[in-house]
Amino acid sequence: MNPQITTPTIEFARRFSSTRRGASSARKLALGQLDAWGVPHGSERSETAALIVAELAANAVLHGHVPGHEFELRLVLGTVLRIEVTDTRAMRRPLRPEPAGDAESGRGLLLVEALTKAWGVDARPPGKTVWAEVGV
């Protein structure tokens, strides 16, 4: 019988106000948590994670906001770093990004797609979770 080898994971989760300040706080706390886990602040991995958290949190605030509700950031560190942002607006699901041409917005998910191994959207009543995975 072969024992299954598993990689231990560690998790961090916190709720934030669905405001620009909440999105900024999510990014800062994510950087601090990653540093505490041994992903040094200012490293390429840390900066990549910061960009992804910033984009997903901003999208939750701008497109997933429901008055009176917060969004949640969850980080899971194992063989990959999984970043999840959950909001309560199920009706506004992000689509696969298309090149935006001269548009002044709409490039954030192109950045997320370029920086990650995988990303997607899962239904999570009463809303959705947008997740991204990056190598560690």
Side-chain angles (χ1 to χ4, degrees), residues 86-97:
T86 301
D87 65 55
T88 55
R89 180 171 263 174
M91 297 175 292
R92 304 228 20 211
R93 293 175 59 91
L95 303 173
R96 287 282 169 206

Side-chain angles (χ1 to χ4, degrees), residues 20 28 30 33 36 41 45 51-52 62 64 70 74 76 86 89 91 93 96 98-99 105 113 117 123 129 133:
R20 288 182 183 195
K28 289 175 187 171
Q33 186 61 58
H41 185 72
R45 291 178 183 138
L51 285 170
I52 294 166
L62 293 172
E70 300 171 318
R74 183 170 175 254
V76 181
T86 301
R89 180 171 263 174
M91 297 175 292
R93 293 175 59 91
R96 287 282 169 206
E98 295 290 330
S105 65
E113 188 166 77
K117 290 182 169 217
T129 297
E133 294 181 343

Side-chain angles (χ1 to χ4, degrees), residues 38-52:
V39 180
H41 185 72
S43 68
E44 183 179 342
R45 291 178 183 138
S46 176
E47 293 301 313
T48 297
L51 285 170
I52 294 166

